[in-house]
Amino acid sequence: GNFAFPSPWLEPAREAYLQFLIKLHFRSVSTIPIICCATSQLLIHLPQHYFWEVIQKPIYFQKTFRFLESTGAFHYIDVGPASTLATFSKYNLRSSAC
């Protein structure tokens, strides 16, 4: 396929992962806005199975960049080891791409 997820190889880990997630506690209101690349929307709260569901969905960088840029201008910082976000933003933030 074109995407790393969803993958049937993850299904055997589902129950163990969900049991792990149940033990985590998240604040109900975030002080830092969270934009989900699987839905390209602002998250007001994290649904109960969010972290399982998000690894099962494709990541929509271009649609997410469009959403962000529609709310204002931003400076993006890639803190990953491989500059992946920097590369995606370079190609997706061009005026012809948005």
Side-chain angles (χ1 to χ4, degrees):
N2 293 334
F3 303 103
F5 299 107
S7 171
W9 294 99
L10 292 174
E11 194 57 36
R14 183 179 195 275
E15 286 306 314
Y17 191 60
L18 291 175
Q19 289 302 314
F20 168 76
L21 291 175
I22 288 171
K23 297 175 186 176
L24 300 179
H25 299 283
F26 299 99
R27 293 182 182 178
S28 59
V29 178
S30 175
T31 56
I32 299 173
I34 299 172
I35 309 297
C36 177
C37 285
T39 63
S40 302
Q41 296 178 349
L42 176 67
L43 293 177
I44 304 303
H45 71 282
L46 293 177
Q48 182 179 5
H49 295 107
Y50 172 76
F51 289 106
W52 175 256
E53 291 171 6
V54 78
I55 65 170
Q56 296 296 318
K57 296 179 180 180
I59 295 172
Y60 297 106
F61 280 106
Q62 186 176 56
K63 187 176 177 184
T64 302
F65 279 124
R66 285 180 180 168
F67 171 78
L68 283 168
E69 292 295 307
S70 74
T71 65
F74 291 91
H75 294 281
Y76 299 93
I77 301 171
D78 184 351
V79 296
S83 301
T84 303
L85 182 59
T87 301
F88 284 142
S89 64
K90 175 182 171 183
Y91 292 104
N92 285 291
L93 289 174
R94 290 184 189 164
S95 60
S96 62
C98 294

